[in-house]
Structure formats: C-alpha cells, structure tokens
Amino acid sequence: MTQLEMVQKSDGYDQAVISEAELELQVERKIEHEKSGEADPESGEYLDEIYDIVDAVVPRTDDPTLPALTFRVVVLGAIFNVLLAAVNTLFLFRSNYFQLNPFVGVLLAYPIGLFMAWVLPTGKFMGLTLNPGKFNYKEHALIYVASSCGANPAYALYNIVGQKYQLYQTDLTTVACVFFAIVTQCFGYGLAGLCRRYLVRPAAMLWPGNLSTIALLNSLHEPNTPSADGKLRLSRFSFFWIAATLIFVWEWFPLFLMPVLASISLLCYFAPKLSDNSAVPSSYTAKVMRGLGSAQPRGGIGLLSFTFDWSIISIQAPITTPLWALLNQFLGMWFMLYLVVPLVWVNNGFGKDFDMGTNPHQGPNGTGRYFLGFTLNTPDLFDNNGSYVASRTLVDKSSLRLKEDLYNKLQPMRITAYFAIEYLASFIVFVSALVHVGLWYGSDIWRRFRTAMRDLDTSDVHAKMMDVYPDVPDLWYIILLAINLVIGIAVCQWGGFDLPWWGVILGLLLAVVSMIPIGTIQAISGQQIGLNVMSEFLIGLILPGRIAAVMSFKTLSYMSMYQGLLLVADLKLGHYLKIPPRAMFTVQLVGTLVASIVNVFISFGIYESFGRSEKEEYIVPSDPTSGKIWKLQSDEPPLGWTAGNFNVFLNAGAIWGAIGPARFFGPGSPYVATLWGFLVGLVAPIFPYVMHKFQPNGYWHLVNIPIIAVFPVQVNSSRADVIMPLVIGVIINYYVKKFNHAWWKKYAYVLSAAADSGTAVALTVTFFAFTWNAAYQITLPYSKVQFADGEGCSPDYYLTCQANANYGNNFGKSYDITTDDYCSSINFGSA
C-alpha cells in the first residue's frame, strides 16, 4: 500500500488526496458488496456525506513529534476534571438538567497553557517534561478528555442518593458508595477498548458529537485563513468569543429576567380563562388545552410550545447532529408526543389517564404539586383513584422490600399516559436497534470480527495516520475488566446494594451484547439508545420486590454500556486528532477515578445543603408518614431545583423493582398493551430495508426506526424543546450549508461550542447568585414575563398567590399569608 500524497490546501486545512491504489481498493470493496447484494454502509452518498462533514473540521495531517501527555496536561486536566465533576453534580439536581460543557475547561485552559509555556522551565518532574515547547492542540485535546471525564457525573449517583436519602438507607456507607461509583464508571473501559476496532476505526463511524470539540480546538490553534473569495476574514477564535459573549448576555433573560422566554405555551394563551379557585379546571376544553399546551415538569406535553433558552434547545444538539438523524428523531418525537400521547390521554387509553393528579389536596389550591389541577409530564406513581403516592412509602425501610399490605390497598398502581408511552417507545427502540444494525451493518461487523487482527482501514486517511503510534494491548482492557468485576461483586453482594454476585455478571453480559449495535447507532447519528429500561425489565422478572437490587443492576448494566460509549467517543476524538492511544488510555482512566470520588461527596453535600422541608408531605391517607423530609423531595422544592432525574430513577425503581414488571406490565395490568412495542421493534426496521433493495437510489437508507422511536424527551423536564431545535437544525444544516457552504464549514460547529459555553457560564453565575442559598433565594415580582409556573398555564389565582409566596420568601424573609388579603380570602394552599 502506497503512502498518502499530501498535495493541496483548502480553506486553511491541509487536505490529502488518496492514492490510485487506495481508490482501487475502495472500488473493489464496493463491487464486492454489490455482487453480494449487501448494503454497504461505507460507500456511496452516505460516505460522501461523512467525509464532507469530517473535512469541514478535521485536518488530514499529523505531526507525530508533537508531545501529548505532558506536565501541563496533568495539572490542567486535574483542575478542570475536579471542577466540572463538582459543578455538574450540582446541576444534576436542576429541574431541567444542563451540563457544564467540557468546552469551558478547554477555553480556560488555553490562556493558562500559553502562560505555562511562557514561564515554566524545561526540566522534568516525575518523568514529565515541564515545558516541551509551544502549547499544542494534542495537549489541549487531552485536557478536554480529562474535563469530559469530570463533566459526566457518575450514573451511580441516582442509585446512591435514591437509597441513602430518598429511601433513608442509613447503613449505606460512604466507602461502599465510592467503590460502587468507581466500578460502574470503569466497567465500560474494558468494553470500550475491546470494541474500538468496530466503533472507532471505520470511517462510517462518525461520532458527530466530537465535531464541535474539534472546531473549538481548531479555532484556538489554527491560524486564521480567509475563504477563497476573500470573505470570512474573522478567525474562528474571534467568532467563538463574540458568539459566546452574546449567548451569555442573552441567557440572562430566559434564566432570570424573563423566564417566560424559556417556555412560550401558545395553547395556554388561547385556553378558556379559569375564573374560580377550584382545584381542577371546570371546563373540559380548558383542561385539554392546558394539558396539551403546558410544557413544564408536572404539567403537560408542550404542544406548540417553544423556547428561546439554549440550555433547553441544546439538549437535542441541533447543530452537531446530522440533519437526516435530526429529522428522524423529531418525526418520532412529534408522532409520539403530539399524536399518540394526547389520544391515549383524552380517551383514557390505559383506563384512568385523565384522572392522574386530580386529588384536590395535591392541586393548585393545595400543596401545588400539580399546579394545573392534573398532570401528564411526571414520573410519579398514583393509586387507582389518581392520587399521588410517594414511591418510598411502598418500600419497607429496614428490608427494602415492597409493603405488600399497602400495595394491595392501592393497586393497580398507575402512571401518566406520557410515562407509559415512553416505556412503550423504549421497548420498540431496544429491539429495533438490534434488528436495524443486523440488517444494515451485520455483514460488515461480522467481516471485521472474523479478521479483527488485520488492519481493515488502510484506505482511510485518519486510520493510516494512527498506525504510527503504539496501540493499547487488549490485555490491558481485559485486566481492567477483571479487576472491576471482582470489586463489583464484592461491593454489590456485601456493600448494601442487595445485588447477588451472579447479578453483577449478568449485568455485564447484557452490556456486552448491546455495546456494538447501540454504539453503531450512536456513532452514525449522535443519538444513544438507553439500555436502562431493558435491564430493569430483565432483573425485575428475576428479583421482583427488591428495589435496591433492581436499581443496582440497572446502574451496572446501563453504565457499563453508556460509559463505555463515552470512552469510545473520546477514542474517536483521539483518532481524528491523532492522539497517542496510550496517552488517551491514561487520561481517561485517571480522570474517571478522580471524578467518581468527587461526584459522591458533592452529591451528599448538595442534598443536605438544601435542608429539610418545614411541612410534612401528604402521602396517602392509608399510610401517613410523619417527620420532616428532605426539601428536594417535598411538594415545594427550591424554584427550578426539583431533582427531577433522581425522582424518575426512584419511581422507575419502584415500578420495576418494588412492584415488578410482572405485576405492572403483565396480564391484567392497565399497561400490558405497551408490551406490543417489542413486536413493533422487531418488524418495523424490515420495511425501509426491503424498500431500499427495491429503490436503492431513494432515501430509504436514511429511515432509521430506532432513532424515530427513541423519544429523547424524558418525562419531568421541559417540553418546550420539541420545535426550536429542529428549526435551528434546518436553518444551519440545510439552508446555510446549501447556500453559504463556506460559512457553514468555517463557523457552524464553532457556533455550537460557543452557545454551549456561554450558556454554561450564565447558568453557573445565576445559580450561585440567586438560588444557591435556599434561605436567600431571589426572584422578581409577578408579571407577564415572570409567571410562578414559568409559562402562565395555571389558574390565575395560583399564579398570583404562588408568586406572592415566592417573592415574599426572598432575601431571607418569610411569607405570611395572613397579611395577603386576596390569597388568604380564597384559602390558598389549604385544600
């Protein structure tokens, strides 16, 4: 095989022209596939699009002499790893979760790295050169990887906080919690290393989430080059700082000054007025319009609601996700959320969907838990009458087993139509992902598996360049996997997590089976398909009634795959930027170990810092629970800090663990129909595959059933994110890319990075300024841009009185309703 000829420059990047022999190899592979009748995922229009996307940001050059793992990387990587681990653990408790992007660490590290290159001597410290010369992009990329390891809090925190604080398991030791977090994070390393030949080296494995990172690094390290026509003279670096500053300033409006911009609900503005103070809307039309229009957690589904808050928009990654994947994703979201859920809800498809959350005590004139007087967008459990039941009351605190007597009084337990359809979608997704990957990529994966020891990608520019560096031996990953397996068995069997040794092994096997098919979907689309529901389903059948065991198995199996794919994504970043694999391995492993420890201690501190509620929470009349509960679990949590993801996790644990799938989804259950999702997932992917065979020049290869069904709009978060991300994606990745390709190529991914960074800084500043101290939270007075529910869908009296209460508790003051003539006259909060 001849060497690549480096011959031309375009838009400031050195480009490579593939030699004639390599072109012949690609043609031969294509002919082979055509003769066999197989779909080739690495040829034709799809691969052309991949190279077009990658070439927009990834240089086809490398300098193997550049130092990578240096003293600067160790110091700056450690600082930003710990900082992001702490801050993003804090953000886990927000109503709408937002990650402080590792881009923040990249930005702050840049001037510090330049300063260190200027002042440090050239000696050595612990075998590392203090100053190997100019601060380069490979060092910067490794600092990003360290930051990224800290920016993704351990999923085990949901398990740990759920048992320790929400279920009050006081015998769960801190040491056991730390080891559980480490094991669940590091299981994925072994899997990532063993799957890298299939998920990293192939050119078709795009991993689009890496592109904005590379664009940011380019903007900092590449000299600015105007476009061929002399326009676009602004450097990526300057563009980044201008855009990030503008976004930072803008975000103050939806985050604090005008929160209504975060959720503009059109249907609520046109819904009939609610003139009385009844707990439930008196008009059927008013209830339906508010249920469909409200986008807030514990509200509705956000039909025709939109947002101008990038912290909500960015969840769908509209700029970095390929447009075909975004269209698949939103087609599925709109179908499920705007058609299926409303039809099921208004027609009581699961029996009593219209009654969920209608208990007056829990409505706008009571605790205010369900400010509309009913609810759709919540993971809460309800009894057969539609009254909220705190999942922890179903579990005996000493044994962590289901209270059978209480359950028998309340059964059948119910969930909202939204939550039920989310489970239906998850069943479709899991099976369809296996079928889709088997049909479209099965032959290619099998071919790579059979010849795993050979280099199959010498025709790919980036793979050939990476062959210069010593690879990480498979044995390293196998040893790491074995060590974590032993520790995992010990901590789960005897550390308070109630999972037997064979459960640990079974969880790992489930992750192994799922890694490649789910990783392939994520690599080509940027969307990950969760293993969490299927893991709950499996272990819930095997160990019914054991909530801690089910949550622990879910964490182990899901995180082994999820964390493994995060690490695979970082390996692909290293592949694009030509980072030595062994340097990448070291930074990933150490960064994850340190971040896991930080995650556990910060989560403990945050949960306790909010304190306990002054009110006893209403649970169910048949099993009242006395005592002060943690404020984050109460009906009146700090504004914007409901710990929604933790509640989803715990309620899922109650459904799949305490109650068990056989009871909740089995024969005789209101939700047995959701099991049809497995059959739909088995059959649906076959249709576009067959149609592609009949119409190979059509668009059937872009129809991706797992992405359509993935339904990436988690219950209990804002549903104002279902319109604007697609609008932005179409504008940037269709119109701008088509009509101003030079601008798109130079600035699109930099814009995404800038928006994330500016928003992250704004979120951090506003939190510590106005929300951190629970006794001194600051809100602005009630107005048409400062609704108490964030959008104005609740009854007028609730908006007024709740806003008075919020504002009255500002600056360390305490609101006294007896001094409020209007609210005291309607007995607000007394139902």
Side-chain angles (χ1 to χ4, degrees):
M1 182 63 64
T2 60
Q3 295 294 318
L4 298 176
E5 303 171 21
M6 313 304 292
V7 297
Q8 68 177 11
K9 289 187 175 181
S10 174
D11 289 336
Y13 292 116
D14 291 333
Q15 301 290 331
V17 174
I18 302 176
S19 67
E20 184 178 347
E22 289 163 337
L23 286 172
E24 288 175 359
L25 176 62
Q26 290 185 1
V27 171
E28 286 172 7
R29 287 182 62 195
K30 182 175 178 65
I31 292 172
E32 246 178 62
H33 278 278
E34 289 176 348
K35 284 181 178 178
S36 64
E38 298 170 347
D40 183 4
E42 291 192 22
S43 64
E45 293 181 5
Y46 175 70
L47 194 56
D48 289 341
E49 182 185 5
I50 292 295
Y51 282 129
D52 188 35
I53 292 172
V54 171
D55 287 344
V57 291
V58 180
R60 292 192 176 191
T61 58
D62 180 38
D63 180 1
T65 64
L66 281 180
L69 185 56
T70 66
F71 176 76
R72 294 185 295 236
V73 170
V74 172
V75 173
L76 296 180
I79 292 173
F80 293 112
N81 174 272
V82 172
L83 176 64
L84 290 174
V87 173
N88 279 347
T89 301
L90 165 69
F91 284 165
L92 275 182
F93 294 87
R94 287 188 77 236
S95 303
N96 263 81
Y97 175 54
F98 178 84
Q99 277 191 334
L100 186 62
N101 201 292
F103 293 149
V104 174
V106 172
L107 292 174
L108 296 177
Y110 182 65
I112 301 174
L114 294 178
F115 178 76
M116 294 176 75
W118 182 43
V119 301
L120 286 180
T122 57
K124 288 197 172 185
F125 178 75
M126 298 182 64
L128 295 172
T129 303
L130 292 175
N131 192 346
K134 181 182 177 181
F135 183 56
N136 67 72
Y137 71 91
K138 293 191 179 185
E139 292 176 284
H140 213 164
L142 285 174
I143 293 171
Y144 165 82
V145 171
S147 302
S148 179
C149 291
N152 295 285
Y155 189 77
L157 294 182
Y158 296 122
N159 210 125
I160 293 166
V161 168
Q163 290 185 230
K164 189 175 181 68
Y165 292 102
Q166 295 177 309
L167 294 177
Y168 301 96
Q169 186 180 343
T170 55
D171 63 342
L172 194 63
T173 67
T174 301
V175 173
C177 292
V178 169
F179 274 107
F180 185 71
I182 290 174
V183 165
T184 55
Q185 290 294 94
C186 291
F187 254 137
Y189 272 99
L191 299 182
L194 298 178
C195 292
R196 67 193 186 278
R197 290 183 180 87
Y198 317 111
L199 297 177
V200 174
R201 285 188 66 90
M205 301 296 106
L206 174 62
W207 294 97
N210 284 325
L211 301 179
S212 59
T213 304
I214 298 171
L216 174 57
L217 293 172
N218 287 340
S219 70
L220 298 174
H221 291 275
E222 288 285 343
N224 181 48
T225 303
S227 56
D229 58 6
K231 300 178 180 179
L232 306 179
R233 293 182 177 277
L234 188 67
S235 69
R236 290 181 175 88
F237 181 73
S238 300
F239 181 90
F240 175 88
W241 282 106
I242 292 172
T245 302
L246 291 174
I247 290 291
F248 169 78
V249 173
W250 167 253
E251 280 296 309
W252 279 75
F253 289 91
L255 292 177
F256 182 68
L257 298 174
M258 299 175 65
V260 71
L261 293 174
S263 180
I264 299 177
S265 302
L266 295 181
L267 288 183
C268 290
Y269 289 118
F270 297 103
K273 287 289 184 182
L274 302 177
S275 56
D276 57 27
N277 64 340
S278 61
V280 181
S282 55
S283 163
Y284 175 85
T285 302
K287 178 174 180 177
V288 171
M289 290 187 70
R290 281 169 167 76
L292 298 180
S294 172
Q296 292 297 315
R298 297 179 184 170
I301 61 171
L303 178 64
L304 299 182
S305 295
F306 55 97
T307 180
F308 293 100
D309 182 356
W310 185 259
S311 71
I312 296 175
I313 295 172
S314 65
I315 295 172
Q316 310 297 348
I319 297 177
T320 58
T321 300
L323 185 59
W324 71 268
L326 202 67
L327 291 171
N328 275 274
Q329 174 185 327
F330 274 81
L331 173 65
M333 272 198 292
W334 287 354
F335 176 75
M336 290 289 193
L337 196 62
Y338 287 171
L339 183 62
V340 177
V341 172
L343 287 175
V344 171
W345 178 54
V346 299
N347 291 292
N348 286 313
F350 295 114
K352 294 187 176 181
D353 305 289
F354 217 55
D355 298 334
M356 297 301 101
T358 56
N359 185 323
H361 189 96
Q362 299 156 2
N365 201 36
T367 63
R369 184 177 189 87
Y370 307 119
F371 49 84
L372 298 177
F374 59 93
T375 187
L376 257 173
N377 184 10
T378 181
D380 289 347
L381 292 177
F382 301 88
D383 63 20
N384 196 37
N385 296 317
S387 295
Y388 163 63
V389 178
S391 54
R392 68 180 175 279
T393 62
L394 297 172
V395 180
D396 182 84
K397 295 177 183 177
S398 58
S399 66
L400 295 182
R401 301 293 193 273
L402 178 68
K403 295 178 181 177
E404 293 285 351
D405 292 341
L406 176 60
Y407 173 76
N408 290 332
K409 293 177 183 178
L410 302 174
Q411 70 168 328
M413 299 300 297
R414 295 184 178 274
I415 54 179
T416 63
Y418 182 170
F419 202 16
I421 296 302
E422 192 171 88
Y423 277 131
L424 169 68
S426 68
F427 300 154
I428 297 173
V429 166
F430 182 78
V431 178
S432 65
L434 299 177
V435 176
H436 177 89
V437 172
L439 291 173
W440 292 93
Y441 299 94
S443 60
D444 194 60
I445 291 172
W446 175 243
R447 178 172 53 83
R448 290 176 183 281
F449 178 77
R450 286 183 303 172
T451 55
M453 301 308 294
R454 288 195 351 228
D455 184 358
L456 301 174
D457 300 288
T458 52
S459 61
D460 179 69
V461 176
H462 306 289
K464 188 170 185 64
M465 292 180 189
M466 283 299 292
D467 290 338
V468 175
Y469 303 98
D471 201 0
V472 177
D474 287 345
L475 182 61
W476 290 16
Y477 291 109
I478 294 172
I479 291 174
L480 189 61
L481 204 59
I483 292 173
N484 278 283
L485 179 61
V486 172
I487 298 176
I489 289 174
V491 75
C492 289
Q493 178 88 54
W494 298 289
F497 292 94
D498 197 33
L499 185 64
W501 63 269
W502 53 263
V504 178
I505 297 175
L506 181 62
L508 182 59
L509 290 176
L510 182 59
V512 169
V513 171
S514 307
M515 188 84 171
I516 289 180
I518 292 178
T520 301
I521 295 292
Q522 184 175 353
I524 64 176
S525 71
Q527 299 298 319
Q528 187 178 99
I529 296 166
L531 186 60
N532 48 343
V533 172
M534 291 311 304
S535 62
E536 291 171 313
F537 199 112
L538 176 63
I539 198 65
L541 290 172
I542 299 173
L543 297 175
R546 296 171 61 173
I547 185 171
V550 168
M551 292 194 304
S552 301
F553 180 86
K554 170 186 176 179
T555 300
L556 275 169
S557 58
Y558 173 55
M559 276 313 294
S560 294
M561 183 204 72
Y562 177 84
Q563 183 71 6
L565 292 180
L566 281 179
L567 301 173
V568 168
D570 283 344
L571 290 175
K572 187 67 176 188
L573 177 70
H575 185 84
Y576 283 143
L577 295 178
K578 319 305 176 294
I579 307 297
R582 297 187 179 188
M584 179 68 76
F585 176 87
T586 303
V587 171
Q588 284 183 319
L589 182 59
V590 175
T592 300
L593 288 172
V594 173
S596 299
I597 298 171
V598 173
N599 291 155
V600 172
F601 285 99
I602 293 296
S603 64
F604 289 174
I606 291 171
Y607 214 92
E608 296 180 14
S609 70
F610 279 109
R612 295 181 181 266
S613 174
E614 291 302 314
K615 296 182 180 180
E616 294 182 4
E617 185 182 45
Y618 175 84
I619 308 297
V620 285
S622 55
D623 186 43
T625 300
S626 61
K628 309 289 186 180
I629 67 168
W630 294 105
K631 195 165 186 178
L632 285 174
Q633 294 168 224
S634 70
D635 286 326
E636 297 179 355
L639 189 64
W641 296 85
T642 60
N645 287 340
F646 289 88
N647 296 327
V648 171
F649 188 91
L650 182 65
N651 289 330
I655 290 171
W656 299 99
I659 300 171
R663 289 179 179 180
F664 204 89
F665 294 98
S669 161
Y671 305 104
V672 65
T674 60
L675 299 180
W676 284 102
F678 290 111
L679 181 60
V680 174
L682 181 66
V683 174
I686 299 175
F687 178 74
Y689 181 77
V690 171
M691 292 303 297
H692 177 71
K693 291 294 185 181
F694 285 107
Q695 301 177 1
N697 297 322
Y699 295 95
W700 291 106
H701 63 292
L702 299 179
V703 178
N704 191 306
I705 298 300
I707 297 176
I708 291 173
V710 74
F711 203 26
V713 281
Q714 188 177 47
V715 66
N716 208 44
S717 57
S718 174
R719 285 291 66 79
D721 61 347
V722 191
I723 294 177
M724 289 301 291
L726 182 60
V727 172
I728 291 173
V730 170
I731 291 173
I732 298 294
N733 288 324
Y734 179 73
Y735 287 103
V736 175
K737 184 179 180 181
K738 181 177 181 179
F739 297 108
N740 196 344
H741 191 268
W743 189 98
W744 176 86
K745 188 172 184 178
K746 187 169 185 178
Y747 297 131
Y749 294 108
V750 181
L751 176 62
S752 178
D756 286 349
S757 300
T759 298
V761 175
L763 271 170
T764 307
V765 173
T766 54
F767 171 77
F768 284 106
F770 308 122
T771 311
W772 171 245
N773 190 330
Y776 286 86
Q777 291 191 26
I778 300 174
T779 59
L780 297 179
Y782 170 80
S783 70
K784 292 300 182 181
V785 296
Q786 283 283 344
F787 293 118
D789 66 353
E791 61 189 354
C793 289
S794 302
D796 289 343
Y797 75 89
Y798 175 83
L799 296 176
T800 300
C801 296
Q802 189 60 54
N804 290 350
N806 293 341
Y807 192 65
N809 288 322
N810 273 339
F811 310 104
K813 297 180 297 183
S814 180
Y815 173 68
D816 183 0
I817 194 173
T818 61
T819 63
D820 188 329
D821 294 338
Y822 172 69
C823 295
S824 60
S825 68
I826 63 172
N827 298 316
F828 175 71
S830 62

